[in-house]
Amino acid sequence: AKEIGRDAVQVFCAEMATRAHEKLERQEELRQALAREEFVLHYQPQMDLGTGRIFAAEALVRWLHPERGLLSPGEFIPLAEETGLIGPIGDWTLRAACRQNRAWQAAGLSPIVVSVNVSARQFQEKDWVERVAAALAESGLEACYLELELTESLIMQDVQQAVETMHRLERLGVHLAIDDFGTGYSSLSSLKRFPVGRLKIDRSFVMDLPGDPDDAAIARAIVSLAHTLQLRVIAEGVESREQLEFLREAGCDEIQGYYLSRPVEPRALEALLRIPSL
Ligand code: C2E
Ligand code: CA
Ligand code: CA
Ligand code: CA
């Protein structure tokens, strides 16, 4: 039994070493991807339920890997967060999104707001607000066409600090939204202090609509909470006509999800923007 135990320990150690090695390799690969600019942004449109128009789009990063093809953020953002590479990747994303949005305007499309996801580490960097200002200046995009999506959990890590940074961003003129709303723990009193323009109802509450009575109640509660605080509210992950109708009836202002469109390449979004209304 002792022998088996020792073998097991050795196998375990070898496995750990292999895993550590693989991780280093993937980390190095990610670093190179940044240098070679292997990232691309896809855009998922957002529709105003009142007008039926696409008024905004969320920028979602992908890694165009030379061998493995298009990788979704779930496959590399966690490693990027862990290694600190999320800083430069996030910078790239922000600048690319501003540049693209400015290019759409220059091409004569009616202006939309582009939303960019912000990770906690990025948000906590001391020069973050300056970086946002630099991305705007460099692209020539007016601040009001940029929105930053902050998750509830990011904000709750250090509410005081977050509120300060949010006020600095607000003074720049960018919009702020709370992403994945309902999954964190922001209290009503803290929510009141955040200078945000909208709440995004997390997909987990939308998925089982309209059948699930708990989720239906939660979705209605978030809409009424948002409206009480004079915020707009958008539901993400809307996949069906039934979900859309439920949300419309519940007073939700905007939707995003596969029902409208998956995240698409810039050229495909441009085509959607040329359709007068859906
Ligand atoms: P998220 O911010 O909650 O983004 C929404 C995710 O839900 C996207 O996945 C989108 O493709 C997916 N989605 C949208 N509509 C539907 C739907 O109707 N049904 C279903 N099943 N899924 C839908 P994606 O692109 O894989 O992004 C995953 C997460 O990665 C994002 O979640 C966000 O947290 C993170 N992420 C993406 N881009 C960036 C980025 O540039 N920077 C940072 N820091 N994080 C990013
Ligand atoms: Ca988001
Ligand atoms: Ca979200
Ligand atoms: Ca989500």
Side-chain angles (χ1 to χ4, degrees):
K2 252 185 203 158
E3 287 305 307
I4 294 169
R6 196 178 299 148
D7 284 354
V9 167
Q10 276 170 2
V11 168
F12 183 63
C13 286
E15 223 169 75
M16 297 255 295
T18 310
R19 234 179 271 159
H21 181 71
E22 275 171 10
K23 194 167 157 188
L24 271 175
E25 270 184 352
R26 285 197 297 133
Q27 194 175 321
E28 186 46 38
E29 230 187 358
L30 198 54
R31 215 181 297 281
Q32 282 181 10
L34 194 59
R36 295 178 186 154
E37 300 215 38
E38 289 173 357
F39 299 106
V40 291
L41 290 181
H42 282 185
Y43 294 86
Q44 188 174 33
Q46 302 175 344
M47 188 178 74
D48 184 324
L49 288 175
T51 63
R53 289 188 66 93
I54 293 170
F55 70 100
E58 178 175 8
L60 294 155
V61 71
R62 275 96 182 82
W63 178 2
L64 196 52
H65 192 283
E67 287 125 38
R68 288 191 283 154
L70 202 62
L71 303 182
S72 66
E75 295 173 88
F76 61 90
I77 293 279
L79 182 68
E81 298 258 9
E82 216 181 300
T83 56
L85 284 169
I86 191 67
I89 293 173
D91 258 3
W92 179 87
T93 301
L94 179 67
R95 296 166 63 206
C98 290
R99 222 182 300 130
Q100 178 64 72
N101 201 13
R102 182 67 198 110
W104 279 324
Q105 293 181 359
L109 293 162
S110 33
I112 61 163
V113 172
V114 167
S115 302
V116 173
N117 291 284
V118 180
S119 85
R121 257 181 105 141
Q122 225 181 328
F123 186 77
Q124 284 151 6
E125 280 171 22
K126 268 167 229 67
D127 61 349
W128 161 242
V129 179
E130 286 73 31
R131 286 170 195 236
V132 175
L136 290 168
E138 161 195 294
S139 61
L141 184 73
E142 275 180 75
C144 64
Y145 297 114
L146 174 66
E147 179 180 69
L148 300 171
E149 293 192 4
L150 314 173
T151 62
E152 233 184 323
S153 56
L154 173 161
I155 297 169
M156 297 315 286
Q157 282 182 20
D158 183 347
V159 177
Q160 187 55 43
Q161 188 61 50
V163 169
E164 256 169 56
T165 306
M166 287 163 93
H167 279 296
R168 292 174 60 210
L169 290 165
E170 189 192 27
R171 282 197 292 275
L172 275 186
V174 303
H175 298 282
L176 299 174
I178 302 187
D179 200 0
D180 300 344
F181 190 77
T183 61
Y185 301 96
S186 46
S187 62
L188 290 181
S189 58
S190 58
L191 196 56
K192 201 180 72 178
R193 297 168 56 207
F194 305 152
V196 300
R198 56 177 187 161
L199 301 183
K200 280 191 107 167
I201 304 177
D202 190 63
R203 188 166 71 86
S204 58
F205 303 116
V206 174
M207 245 162 56
D208 299 326
L209 292 179
D212 187 300
D214 294 333
D215 289 340
I218 292 170
R220 286 188 202 279
I222 296 177
V223 170
S224 94
L225 170 63
H227 288 166
T228 301
L229 296 170
Q230 273 152 10
L231 307 176
R232 290 183 68 84
V233 59
I234 181 165
E236 68 177 7
V238 176
E239 294 184 352
S240 70
R241 160 69 50 184
E242 291 69 35
Q243 290 170 341
L244 183 151
E245 290 310 336
F246 173 90
L247 289 157
R248 189 202 295 281
E249 190 265 331
C252 187
D253 303 297
E254 305 152 359
I255 58 145
Q256 174 181 349
Y258 293 172
Y259 180 71
L260 187 60
S261 164
R262 293 190 173 245
V264 293
E265 288 178 18
R267 251 185 301 166
L269 189 84
E270 198 175 313
L272 285 172
L273 292 178
R274 292 190 191 278
I275 303 171
S277 82
L278 298 167

